[in-house]
Amino acid sequence: MAAPLLEKLSESLGSPEPAVRLILSILVGYPFALLYRWLFFYQPATVIHLFHTFSGLALAAFNFGPQLYHSVLCVFVQFLMLRLMGRTVTAVLSSFTFQMVYLLLGYYYTATEEYDIKWTMPHCVLTLKLVGLAFDYYDGGKEPSQLSADQKKSALPSVPSLLEIFGFSYFYGGFLVGPQFTLRSYQRLVGRELTDCPGKPPNSLIPALKRFALGFLCLAIYATFSPSYPESYFLTDEYEAQPFWYRCVFILLWGKVMLYKYVSCWVIAEGVCILTGLGYNGVVDGKHQWDACANMKVWLFETTPLFGGTIASFNINTNAWAARHVFKRLKFLGNKTLSHVTTLFFLTIWHGLHSGYILCFSMEFFIITVERQAQALVRDSPLLTKLAHSHLYPLIYVVQQFIHWLFMGYPLLPFCLFTYDKWLKVYSSVYFCGHVFFLVAYLILPFLRKALVPKKDRSEQKQD
């Protein structure tokens, strides 16, 4: 009965059935969260873990059928490694190797040349959870003085139970599309600590509904405009026949619209986490904060004219996970650039095995490097600083935003087109304008800095 209904709904919406299943599964997180608040909030931890486990498994079965065994197997193996290997480097390396190899084999055997919603999509989220779990258990055996502030918050004082790991892994608010959160945060949720009313369900209905409304608006924008900007159009003769300026503007608009697909899912899922209390983040300036699970800073995303600003506002929890468990743990290399490149390489293969991912993330590194050069030039040049703060800034902002979104869409092309033959065809049609622009900027900016800024006034660039 459900299949024909889904087929009809898919046809009426003009979306593939797997996408409709995914959206419905994210939305059903709200009824699950209400059930948790009304029926399970005061129940023992075991009952809550069972509710989270079976609700998440139900979503997995609804979307991926019997293929849910992949996630069950990886969760069970992770539990065994923690139990048998203890708080050791061996356990961390074994966890990292097993979970990443399993994910990459999944990509290898299931990948196509299209964007498919299949079991590997939530599994990449699960992979980070389970690898992070191994790190957090390892950190729990260290002296507090050896840990950073973030590590102290997430370190596990004792080995978790199998049921606890299953509840954490299948929690409906983050199983399908994220956000990332630690087992320690999940334990605090189950322990009724994440609330603005001690011992009672949190007053989070309004904050949750606000995120739901915002996410639904983003989803409506995507559903309305995405048919006008399909990725398939880039590969048509009609696109190649358009004037150069039109092809560039199409890339800009396509990139902006395409990202709403991710924004909408993350913001709606965040609302589920807020409703349960997992999004509670303490009190700042006398106000309760609900942004612990925020994966998007939507206002910053919409208004920033900087590439770095967009990256900082997008997929926040995944970036924070990579910073905490990859970038900062590579401190022994003694080189921030090398740590940054290694982290980007990890994120590349975590997304998949297509060449488009490699090109996208390598371009991200190059673009951010050039932007930092430009920021240093403006900061150190009195003339450019004065111009940036003059009455001409609104015009500068418009130009900057055009460049920003044009060259945000540009590296996203290979990310979405996947294969070499496709993204090379599109880049050839616009004469590799993004590559040329940033290469020329990379070569010219140091000379401009020498010409416009006295040596004694040049500040050192710092990398995050």
Side-chain angles (χ1 to χ4, degrees):
M1 184 66 181
L5 288 176
L6 283 170
E7 288 179 8
K8 290 180 180 179
L9 181 60
S10 175
E11 290 175 4
S12 63
L13 295 175
S15 298
E17 186 177 321
V20 174
R21 286 178 181 269
L22 177 63
I23 291 297
L24 290 176
S25 299
I26 296 173
L27 292 174
V28 84
Y30 286 87
F32 281 161
L34 290 174
L35 277 175
Y36 164 72
R37 291 169 63 96
W38 294 338
L39 301 179
F40 295 97
F41 186 83
Y42 295 107
Q43 296 297 319
T46 299
V47 176
I48 297 175
H49 295 324
L50 286 170
F51 170 65
H52 290 157
T53 298
F54 285 107
S55 57
L57 283 170
L59 294 179
F62 176 65
N63 284 273
F64 312 110
Q67 291 181 327
L68 65 84
Y69 80 85
H70 292 289
S71 58
V72 173
L73 174 63
C74 287
V75 171
F76 186 70
V77 170
Q78 185 63 52
F79 168 75
L80 289 179
M81 285 192 285
L82 295 182
R83 283 286 186 176
L84 299 177
M85 297 181 183
R87 302 182 193 274
T88 61
V89 174
T90 302
V92 173
L93 293 178
S94 299
S95 299
F96 186 93
T97 303
F98 174 80
Q99 301 297 350
M100 283 300 297
V101 168
Y102 198 101
L103 176 65
L104 294 179
L105 287 174
Y107 287 146
Y108 179 79
Y109 285 109
T110 66
T112 68
E113 294 185 3
E114 304 295 332
Y115 182 81
D116 299 317
I117 296 176
K118 47 190 178 293
W119 69 267
T120 53
M121 186 200 68
H123 202 86
C124 71
V125 178
L126 179 64
T127 296
L128 296 191
K129 278 187 179 180
L130 297 178
V131 172
L133 176 59
F135 276 112
D136 294 339
Y137 182 56
Y138 175 71
D139 289 340
K142 295 181 179 179
E143 293 294 327
S145 59
Q146 296 178 293
L147 302 176
S148 67
D150 286 339
Q151 290 171 342
K152 288 178 182 177
K153 289 181 181 178
S154 58
L156 294 169
S158 60
V159 63
S161 69
L162 177 61
L163 185 57
E164 195 171 28
I165 296 177
F166 267 102
F168 162 68
S169 300
Y170 285 103
F171 174 70
Y172 44 83
F175 170 65
L176 290 169
V177 296
Q180 290 293 329
F181 52 89
T182 65
L183 178 59
R184 190 69 195 94
S185 294
Y186 175 76
Q187 289 174 333
R188 294 183 65 207
L189 172 71
V190 174
R192 296 185 285 275
E193 298 176 35
L194 296 180
T195 176
D196 56 337
C197 304
K200 298 180 180 180
N203 292 311
S204 56
L205 181 61
I206 298 303
L209 289 178
K210 286 181 178 179
R211 297 310 278 179
F212 169 79
L214 180 58
F216 196 80
L217 173 62
C218 293
L219 181 61
I221 293 172
Y222 175 74
T224 301
F225 292 102
S226 60
S228 301
Y229 300 97
E231 286 141 26
S232 58
Y233 183 64
F234 286 114
L235 305 175
T236 63
D237 293 336
E238 182 183 347
Y239 176 76
E240 285 199 67
Q242 299 290 352
F244 174 73
W245 68 266
Y246 182 94
R247 281 173 269 160
C248 290
V249 171
F250 190 90
I251 290 174
L252 183 154
L253 295 174
W254 165 82
K256 183 68 173 173
V257 170
M258 185 275 297
L259 288 176
Y260 280 115
K261 173 172 62 177
Y262 302 98
V263 175
S264 58
C265 290
W266 289 334
V267 175
I268 292 173
E270 182 194 344
V272 176
C273 295
I274 292 172
L275 191 57
T276 61
L278 191 65
Y280 186 64
N281 204 19
V283 180
V284 176
D285 296 330
K287 294 183 179 180
H288 295 286
Q289 305 297 309
W290 302 97
D291 58 354
C293 292
N295 222 10
M296 284 294 307
K297 296 179 180 177
V298 179
W299 180 253
L300 177 63
F301 175 79
E302 294 293 348
T303 60
T304 181
L306 301 174
F307 297 97
T310 299
I311 292 171
S313 69
F314 191 83
N315 206 1
I316 298 168
N317 281 288
T318 300
N319 291 335
W321 189 100
R324 186 168 68 251
H325 294 304
V326 182
F327 180 81
K328 292 180 181 179
R329 293 181 190 267
L330 293 174
K331 189 176 181 180
F332 66 90
L333 295 175
N335 186 304
K336 285 187 175 181
T337 300
L338 183 57
S339 297
H340 189 187
V341 170
T342 304
T343 303
L344 287 177
F345 176 74
F346 167 78
L347 289 173
T348 298
I349 61 172
W350 174 71
H351 277 89
L353 300 175
H354 290 298
S355 62
Y357 295 129
I358 298 173
L359 188 60
C360 175
F361 283 97
S362 60
M363 287 189 66
E364 175 189 322
F365 176 78
F366 189 50
I367 290 171
I368 290 297
T369 300
V370 171
E371 182 172 75
R372 285 173 174 164
Q373 288 180 332
Q375 286 177 300
L377 174 62
V378 173
R379 181 175 60 246
D380 294 341
S381 168
L383 175 62
L384 294 178
T385 299
K386 183 178 180 181
L387 183 63
H389 291 88
S390 71
H391 63 279
L392 293 176
Y393 180 71
L395 177 60
I396 297 172
Y397 177 82
V398 170
V399 174
Q400 195 174 3
Q401 278 286 27
F402 179 84
I403 294 172
H404 167 218
W405 279 110
L406 171 59
F407 294 119
M408 275 299 298
Y410 190 85
L412 288 173
L413 281 167
F415 186 91
C416 295
L417 295 177
F418 299 139
T419 59
Y420 174 85
D421 56 324
K422 292 181 180 179
W423 55 255
L424 183 62
K425 176 180 174 65
V426 182
Y427 279 157
S428 299
S429 70
V430 291
Y431 315 115
F432 294 90
C433 61
H435 294 77
V436 173
F437 179 87
F438 284 101
L439 179 60
V440 170
Y442 181 77
L443 295 174
I444 289 179
L445 284 172
F447 291 102
L448 287 176
R449 198 168 181 219
K450 287 181 180 180
L452 296 176
V453 183
K455 187 175 181 179
K456 62 182 179 66
D457 294 334
R458 295 174 199 160
S459 63
E460 293 295 326
Q461 293 184 53
K462 296 182 179 180
Q463 294 187 352
D464 296 330

